[in-house]
Amino acid sequence: MSLPRRICLFICSVLSAILFAQELPPPPPDATAAWFDGGITLDGRLDEAVWQLSTPADNFWETFPSDTQRAVYQTEVYFGQDEDFFYIGAKVYVPGHKYVIPSLRRDYRAGGNDNITFVFNPFLDRTTAIVFGMNPLGVNREALIYNGGENGGDFREEWDNRWKGESHIDEDFWSCELRIPWSALRFPEGGTEWFFNSYRFDTQDNTRTTWHHIPQNQSIISLAYTGRIRFERPLSGSGGFAVIPYAGGGFSRDFEEGTPSDWFSNVGADAKIPVSTGLNLDLTVNPDFSQVEVDQQVINTSRFELFFPERRQFFLENADLFSGFGTRTANPFFSRRIGVTRDTTTGEALQNPIYYGTRLSGKLDNDWRVGLLNMQAAANFENGLPSYNYTVAAAQRVIGARSNLGGIFVNRQNLGQFRDTSEVNLNYNRVAGLDFNLATRSNIWNGKVYVHRAFGPQIGSDAWSHGLAIERRRRRIQIGYNHQYIGQDFDAEVGFVPRRGIFRPNFEISLSKYPENSPVVERGPFLEANAVFSQGEGLTDQTLVGGYRWRYRDTRDLRIAVARAYIFLLEDFDPTRSDATPLPGREGYEYLFGSIAWSSDRRLLFSTSLEAQAGQFFNGERYSLSGNFRYRYQPFGSVDLRFNYTRIELPTPFASADLFLIGPRIDFTFSKSIFLTTFIQYNSQIDNINLNARLQWRYAPVSDIFLVYTDNYDSLNLDVKSRALVFKCTYWLNI
């Protein structure tokens, strides 16, 4: 046998071992959903006899602080069905009544409070899931899980839908009942079983428990670990047609330009149209995103653009199908680019209104997911900006147990009469690519391989981006390697690619020990090494980080690290982003620094997280302290003071500066339907003070009234820069 053939067979055998390895804990016995004649009284009590007709999901396992025993305080989850609704009931046994409820706001995150969550995978692919949850005071939440739930970013709580739930607190347990219309869900018609798991956070016993046994080193939302619900009768009624009109208005004024107040009004609508049991068509006309919360500002001492997540709800459902290609720093599609273009004179980003948008997305069957997005943005002739159309097509095919192969095509096309002949706003930009996402049945192996190509009128031949990532997760050791190549000509104008012309390898390893009878539940060292090779320059960046981490039973966390960094500046750079003399380019800088990070017990009324960093920085020194102080006035809300102080000391004539970022956020919930959020941000790096206050009244299911006030001040003299007041009303109408 020839050597190439032996190598090929070896690679195939390794891949087969990875793809088909099965080391899952045994699944729990199947739960069943009984047929409910006449429904239930939705009061959270589970006192109707019909609940006992089902076989519950019970005998939960502990996953924190240990993962080797059944839960001491158990949970029982019951299911029911009728022609119109899916019913969920749960009894959550507890050691007392000192619950932690941070606020009454819907769509809370599970960590740091008492709650139970239900995860459903109707298409049996262990890749996507719908999530519903409840806490002891009956505060609801819903969310979507993507990419198998392998990390926190795969959990998106911005998804909304119409359903109802109530809770009840008894002597030694609390309970809840949920009634979800079938029309609010997507599932195969005629199906009789779903994959399911449930997880629960108990702050009094300080445990996290799950129905399907999940090892401690795995994500609690991982879809690799699911049991089954069997329905008494075949399911029908998936999806429903809904229209969500809105009306709004307000005023804004730019005081720096000296213009008078601009009064405006808007009307528009969204629509959700079921195409099939798994496929949905979303439409939006004249969308308005004025109610979206402002971004949390940061101090940027790096050389590159920072990533801010998408917050506009229209772009969030099935978002992974469009934005999950490539990596965080080489993403061919970033939805925040839609409706944004560049001024041909200044090069600054400008927001353009969006006329309309359409999105067809979802499941064709158990193996195929497809997505097609088209949006048209307005022109801005005053700044010489054309009107662009954005089209994105994507598809995924399941391979093996939980892996998939996906393809994407992104097109930004000037369809207006105006043609910009400059190099800023070209007539079109396109990207095409393929991604293979690896996730084994047991979730021990995860990874990705991708290759993308950009096309455009002035794009050269080095327009490729490709990469490889592989991670192995075991109980005591996690090891990962990844690299990416981004060509100098890979210009993805609708993507997020802050740096081009590089090859970036990365290696990381961490070891874990799980002490018994100790306040520390996990501890161990970690090591990470990465480098950047720039085209024509060789090695230009290198970082080596080593440290140790402790996780405590009471949820405290401690991390210490020491790092060595090397940067060869290709151009002059001022890390303070001031008008001072920049550091000279074409020079290399090597420096050492250390850091320590600490977070306290989040169950306490007052909690904090702090990170301090000190050491060398380029040819000088840097000291920083960042974190937050949080006070919870249960159950009505919290005050969260986020801050960052950075001191940069560079030798004369280079810049030295004290940079401050202070951002208190006040979250107050008057009830489970009225919320007030006030965000104040002082950023000395951009000499700005921002005030954003948002009052929300959910007067009907998924129907809201917003009142948003925004101010920006010059932090040097407190002169007003800009001011706006916006009113918006939406209503969800099922048809």
Side-chain angles (χ1 to χ4, degrees):
M1 183 183 295
S2 65
L3 181 60
R5 186 173 180 182
R6 290 179 179 177
I7 294 174
C8 182
L9 288 174
F10 173 75
I11 293 174
C12 290
S13 63
V14 171
L15 288 176
S16 297
I18 292 175
L19 286 171
F20 298 104
Q22 297 186 44
E23 298 185 32
L24 282 170
D30 294 349
T32 63
W35 185 262
F36 285 6
D37 284 322
I40 63 170
T41 300
L42 196 67
D43 55 13
R45 295 177 179 273
L46 273 77
D47 50 8
E48 294 88 355
V50 289
W51 286 114
Q52 302 306 317
L53 299 177
S54 67
T55 302
D58 54 12
N59 289 321
F60 276 44
W61 283 89
E62 193 174 288
T63 189
F64 179 89
S66 71
D67 60 1
T68 58
Q69 64 182 21
R70 298 281 185 178
V72 175
Y73 296 94
Q74 274 294 334
T75 306
E76 301 166 359
V77 184
Y78 300 85
F79 304 97
Q81 65 175 124
D82 61 22
E83 293 181 355
D84 299 315
F85 297 102
F86 177 39
Y87 300 95
I88 309 168
K91 278 191 175 181
V92 181
Y93 293 91
V94 293
H97 288 163
K98 294 182 178 180
Y99 302 112
V100 174
I101 310 294
S103 80
L104 301 175
R105 181 183 294 275
R106 190 185 184 98
D107 292 338
Y108 55 85
R109 293 305 294 260
N113 62 95
D114 286 272
N115 62 86
I116 186 169
T117 298
F118 313 103
V119 180
F120 301 98
N121 177 216
F123 286 90
L124 308 179
D125 59 4
R126 291 190 170 95
T127 302
T128 60
I130 49 180
V131 175
F132 298 93
M134 185 83 70
N135 71 18
L137 294 185
V139 181
N140 300 343
R141 77 169 182 154
E142 67 268 278
L144 300 174
I145 293 177
Y146 299 121
N147 299 322
E150 304 314 325
N151 58 71
D154 298 333
F155 189 95
R156 304 305 296 266
E157 70 269 24
E158 295 88 351
W159 177 66
D160 274 336
N161 221 312
R162 294 183 67 135
W163 61 281
K164 293 182 179 181
E166 295 292 343
S167 68
H168 169 71
I169 297 177
D170 213 303
E171 183 175 351
D172 59 351
F173 68 88
W174 65 271
S175 57
C176 61
E177 293 177 324
L178 289 70
R179 184 173 63 206
I180 306 168
W182 293 118
S183 59
L185 307 174
R186 297 279 182 269
F187 54 85
E189 291 281 342
T192 58
E193 64 179 25
W194 290 358
F195 287 150
F196 165 75
N197 199 15
S198 177
Y199 59 88
R200 168 191 166 190
F201 283 62
D202 181 357
T203 63
Q204 298 171 90
D205 192 38
N206 198 25
T207 58
R208 302 168 194 169
T209 58
T210 61
W211 181 47
H212 192 296
H213 187 198
I214 299 180
Q216 196 168 9
N217 66 315
Q218 297 289 339
S219 168
I220 201 169
I221 64 172
S222 174
L223 301 183
Y225 302 90
T226 55
R228 293 177 186 265
I229 307 169
R230 297 193 181 276
F231 294 92
E232 184 175 326
R233 301 189 188 182
L235 304 179
S236 63
S238 170
F241 179 33
V243 177
I244 308 103
Y246 84 87
F251 82 91
S252 64
R253 184 176 179 182
D254 189 331
F255 288 86
E256 292 183 311
E257 295 293 331
T259 57
S261 297
D262 177 23
W263 293 86
F264 59 89
S265 60
N266 283 318
V267 293
D270 295 346
K272 294 181 174 292
I273 305 171
V275 176
S276 67
T277 57
L279 203 60
N280 196 71
L281 176 64
D282 291 277
L283 306 175
T284 184
V285 178
N286 193 30
D288 174 80
F289 305 111
S290 58
Q291 84 282 4
V292 176
E293 285 190 2
V294 296
D295 291 313
Q296 290 189 355
Q297 296 181 19
V298 296
I299 291 178
N300 185 9
T301 58
S302 75
R303 293 162 287 164
F304 309 107
E305 178 186 10
L306 299 179
F307 179 88
F308 291 93
E310 176 63 83
R311 297 178 180 275
R312 299 171 295 181
Q313 188 171 354
F314 180 82
F315 296 98
L316 295 177
E317 188 169 353
N318 284 315
D320 73 301
L321 188 55
F322 300 99
S323 61
F325 288 82
T327 68
R328 183 72 169 266
T329 55
N331 194 326
F333 175 66
F334 180 39
S335 58
R336 287 188 67 144
R337 302 292 192 208
I338 294 180
V340 179
T341 187
R342 299 282 174 182
D343 188 305
T344 55
T345 303
T346 66
E348 294 182 354
L350 297 173
Q351 294 285 345
N352 281 359
I354 297 174
Y355 289 140
Y356 71 85
T358 63
R359 181 184 63 224
L360 180 69
S361 61
K363 301 278 292 187
L364 288 179
D365 54 33
N366 287 358
D367 293 328
W368 281 97
R369 292 177 72 204
V370 296
L372 180 62
L373 175 72
N374 183 267
M375 305 200 80
Q376 180 67 44
N380 188 332
F381 292 109
E382 292 182 0
N383 293 284
L385 302 176
S387 174
Y388 277 112
N389 180 270
Y390 301 83
T391 301
V392 186
Q396 282 185 355
R397 174 65 161 83
V398 173
I399 295 177
R402 300 171 59 240
S403 304
N404 64 73
L405 178 67
I408 189 171
F409 175 74
V410 183
N411 182 53
R412 188 176 89 151
Q413 184 79 43
N414 180 5
L415 297 182
Q417 296 179 352
F418 176 80
R419 292 291 188 269
D420 180 8
T421 58
S422 73
E423 296 182 1
V424 178
N425 295 295
L426 300 175
N427 285 334
Y428 71 89
N429 178 265
R430 294 166 189 153
V431 177
L434 291 173
D435 285 40
F436 172 70
N437 297 290
L438 170 68
T440 59
R441 187 182 301 276
S442 60
N443 208 43
I444 290 176
W445 289 94
N446 283 273
K448 174 190 280 280
V449 180
Y450 70 90
V451 57
H452 303 149
R453 175 68 154 86
F455 305 88
Q458 300 182 20
I459 291 181
S461 58
D462 189 18
W464 294 91
S465 172
H466 53 79
L468 164 70
I470 189 71
E471 179 185 26
R472 178 175 167 84
R473 299 179 183 175
R474 302 293 296 184
R475 179 174 175 80
R476 296 189 178 274
I477 181 171
Q478 297 190 30
I479 186 169
Y481 168 80
N482 69 80
H483 71 250
Q484 60 180 193
Y485 172 82
I486 306 173
Q488 187 63 50
D489 301 319
F490 184 71
D491 188 9
E493 294 185 356
V494 196
F496 185 79
V497 189
R499 192 173 185 182
R500 295 185 291 174
I502 62 170
F503 173 73
R504 179 190 287 125
N506 174 274
F507 171 81
E508 54 189 31
I509 183 172
S510 63
L511 305 177
S512 297
K513 292 184 178 180
Y514 303 91
E516 296 183 1
N517 302 318
S518 169
V520 178
V521 297
E522 181 184 358
R523 59 180 174 86
F526 60 89
L527 178 69
E528 181 177 352
N530 61 73
V532 175
F533 297 86
S534 299
Q535 285 185 353
E537 302 290 347
L539 179 67
T540 57
D541 301 74
Q542 189 180 54
T543 306
L544 180 65
V545 182
Y548 208 91
R549 182 186 178 190
W550 295 263
R551 293 177 64 208
Y552 293 83
R553 181 186 177 95
D554 62 3
T555 73
R556 290 178 296 158
D557 196 279
L558 176 63
R559 179 182 182 272
I560 59 173
V562 177
R564 173 198 174 273
Y566 170 78
I567 294 179
F568 182 82
L569 288 181
L570 301 178
E571 300 176 350
D572 294 353
F573 171 61
D574 175 14
T576 68
R577 299 183 181 271
S578 64
D579 294 328
T581 302
L583 295 169
R586 311 305 307 173
E587 289 191 17
Y589 301 84
E590 181 177 349
Y591 50 94
L592 297 170
F593 59 93
S595 66
I596 181 169
W598 164 262
S599 60
S600 67
D601 188 345
R602 287 187 296 170
R603 300 172 301 164
L604 303 178
L605 290 178
F606 178 81
S607 60
T608 184
S609 63
L610 299 171
E611 182 173 3
Q613 188 178 107
Q616 299 170 326
F617 185 62
F618 289 98
N619 59 352
E621 296 177 337
R622 177 177 62 181
Y623 308 92
S624 68
L625 179 65
S626 61
N628 77 300
F629 297 105
R630 186 170 183 261
Y631 177 74
R632 184 179 79 250
Y633 41 97
Q634 180 169 318
F636 299 107
S638 62
V639 177
D640 192 349
L641 176 61
R642 189 174 62 96
F643 66 91
N644 185 320
Y645 167 68
T646 299
R647 169 65 181 173
I648 296 177
E649 296 181 355
L650 302 180
T652 305
F654 309 117
S656 293
D658 294 291
L659 305 176
F660 293 90
L661 175 64
I662 302 175
R665 175 191 171 105
I666 303 170
D667 185 23
F668 192 84
T669 54
F670 299 91
S671 68
K672 287 188 282 186
S673 59
I674 301 178
F675 321 121
L676 174 64
T677 302
T678 303
F679 205 4
I680 305 170
Q681 300 184 91
Y682 163 57
N683 190 337
S684 67
Q685 193 173 37
I686 58 175
D687 298 325
N688 190 75
I689 298 175
N690 172 257
L691 168 65
N692 180 263
R694 189 179 77 151
L695 179 66
Q696 177 185 356
W697 174 27
R698 176 147 287 189
Y699 63 93
V702 207
S703 304
D704 299 283
I705 291 177
F706 296 95
L707 187 64
V708 183
Y709 177 78
T710 303
D711 248 344
N712 283 286
Y713 298 89
D714 188 321
S715 63
L716 299 178
N717 53 28
L718 296 183
D719 287 344
V720 181
K721 294 181 178 180
S722 62
R723 178 171 293 158
L725 179 67
V726 175
F727 169 85
K728 183 178 179 182
C729 178
T730 67
Y731 182 72
W732 183 296
L733 177 64
N734 284 333
I735 298 178

